Amino acid sequence: DFERDLDPESTTTFPATLSELTERLKHWKNILQSNVEDRFPAVLKLEEESKVLRDFHMVDVEIPGQYFSDQEIAPDHTVKLDRVGADVPIVRRHGSSFRRLTLIGSDGSQRHFIVQTSLTPNARSDERILQLFRVMNQMFDKHKESRRRHICIHTPIIIPVWSQVRMVEDDLMYNTFLEVYENHCARNDREPDLPITYFKEQLNQAISGQISPEAVVDLRLQAYNDITKSLVADGIFSQYMYKTLPSGNHMWAFKKQFAIQLALSSFMSFMLQIGGRSPNKILFAKNTGKIFQTDFHPAYDVNGMIEFSEPVPFRLTRNMQAFFSHFGVEGLIVSAMCAAAQAVVSPKQTQHLWYQLAMFFRDELLSWSWRRPLGMPLAPAAGGGSMNPTDFKHKVTTNVENVIGRISGIAPQCFSEEEENVMDPPQSVQRGVTELVDAALLPRNLCMMDPTWHPWF
């Protein structure tokens, strides 16, 4: 049936328009997805999948990830691997399927790791960015304002097994932001893609060139406003968390931790100009509020400079704003971002940050030069890379200075009393971050985002 429906030579059944084709493909996707979920087990047994791993006798194999903390672990306190858990759950997230292994330690603790295969060339960027996060966590720990707010970026462990396989630490309570929306649609018997379809239908005039480019923005804004009024409410995430968490105490603790984690993710997105934060790439733990973002690394243009073309500085959309309320956004998120910015550009740490960023961009740009975009001119090779040393050093330095300039622009400034008296009216120390938050929440900016980014959610 599927082949007959999508055979271009069969003029009787093949869709006449792209929208009809999309509908047909969505219909078959739902059928195939339900078949997979109904026919295949959610949990595999280790003895059936790998008898070798089940019977393997571990001798002095340590549980990975114990040496990422600052404290040195005494040899007699090192947790050894006792065995691998008997159950291997299948984890399905946004069209991809993974196996989750449970490593049981000699102290009875359990660590969960997802096995990822068929890695993209950007996979090593994830490890580099987590190394940078760990260094920044040390900086946050040494600064008064960030330390008293318990600011710490969540950094799961990534273990490269070989070039095409790695293990990534996972939490049993992880959920993607998109799953919240899809869960709401399933409960209310709605089509999840309805806002996207409606948005594209409203913009058909713009595609056909019937209206001027200036009017396109107003058209997008009108479509965005229609969707927010009738199709996607701003309380979906709040309802989901109120149903998930058992009491008000849990909700308060989750909300505070989630706000700080979101503030740090937003700060890193702005600092390194990382875009593409669609809701399926945001994982959060429903019990702790910790956030982990997939594909979280900068993109580079043909000159090796960070490329960013999104109208919003980071993702802070209506449902998040409604969940935190006005007090959470202005209180927790803004103050956490300010404290993070102030910590990394404080006089004692700014030089340290400069060198760490230089190492990060050096490795990133070396990797980027090896997978050069199509059409980029060849430069004289140097040390395995594809740029001469002077040009390469200039690219690294420029990127580092741009990043530090962005942080300094939003970090609270310390003024003497004489300088404060000169300013009229007095300036808020948080104005840089407040302007970014306003830009992220502004409907005119949000409506310019791609519909698959779900700006209305």
Side-chain angles (χ1 to χ4, degrees), residues 70 137-147 343 348-349 352:
D70 289 339
N137 282 342
Q138 293 174 17
M139 294 183 185
F140 296 150
D141 203 40
K142 290 175 183 173
H143 190 259
K144 183 184 72 172
E145 291 299 323
S146 50
R147 188 185 176 96
K348 290 181 181 176
Q349 307 210 99
H352 184 44

Side-chain angles (χ1 to χ4, degrees), residues 75-258:
D76 53 335
H77 285 94
T78 307
V79 181
K80 301 288 173 58
L81 178 60
D82 188 54
R83 65 189 189 280
V84 180
D87 290 341
V88 183
I90 297 174
V91 182
R92 295 190 182 96
R93 284 184 192 139
H94 196 65
S96 52
S97 172
F98 308 106
R99 306 288 186 271
R100 184 193 283 135
L101 290 177
T102 304
L103 304 185
I104 301 170
S106 53
D107 62 347
S109 62
Q110 294 187 359
R111 301 291 284 269
H112 305 281
F113 289 88
I114 273 184
V115 181
Q116 292 184 345
T117 55
S118 305
L119 303 176
T120 63
N122 288 321
R124 292 307 296 266
S125 290
D126 296 335
E127 295 164 52
R128 282 191 283 270
I129 204 108
L130 287 177
Q131 287 171 344
L132 180 64
F133 285 178
R134 290 189 184 104
V135 169
M136 293 185 74
N137 282 342
Q138 293 174 17
M139 294 183 185
F140 296 150
D141 203 40
K142 290 175 183 173
H143 190 259
K144 183 184 72 172
E145 291 299 323
S146 50
R147 188 185 176 96
R148 66 189 281 264
R149 288 177 173 83
H150 304 291
I151 286 179
C152 180
I153 308 171
H154 175 51
T155 53
I157 294 129
I158 295 180
I159 308 149
V161 182
W162 63 84
S163 60
Q164 282 300 306
V165 179
R166 70 180 183 185
M167 291 167 65
V168 181
E169 189 181 14
D170 193 61
D171 194 306
L172 296 178
M173 297 297 282
Y174 267 161
N175 208 353
T176 69
F177 198 54
L178 186 64
E179 280 172 42
V180 176
Y181 172 68
E182 289 176 342
N183 174 274
H184 167 81
C185 291
R187 286 177 68 244
N188 292 283
D189 197 25
R190 285 186 187 173
E191 170 63 55
D193 291 338
L194 190 61
I196 298 175
T197 312
Y198 178 82
F199 192 82
K200 288 185 173 175
E201 281 172 3
Q202 295 300 304
L203 288 171
N204 276 342
Q205 303 170 42
I207 295 164
S208 57
Q210 293 171 13
I211 57 173
S212 64
E214 294 79 22
V216 172
V217 179
D218 295 325
L219 196 65
R220 292 181 79 106
L221 185 59
Q222 181 62 44
Y224 170 85
N225 287 332
D226 291 346
I227 291 167
T228 56
K229 281 174 190 167
S230 57
L231 297 177
V232 183
D234 64 357
I236 295 171
F237 186 69
S238 303
Q239 285 178 3
Y240 181 84
M241 292 318 302
Y242 280 118
K243 287 183 170 70
T244 302
L245 297 170
S247 72
N249 289 343
H250 289 89
M251 175 60 77
W252 184 88
F254 173 85
K255 198 173 280 192
K256 187 170 184 185
Q257 179 67 9
F258 187 61

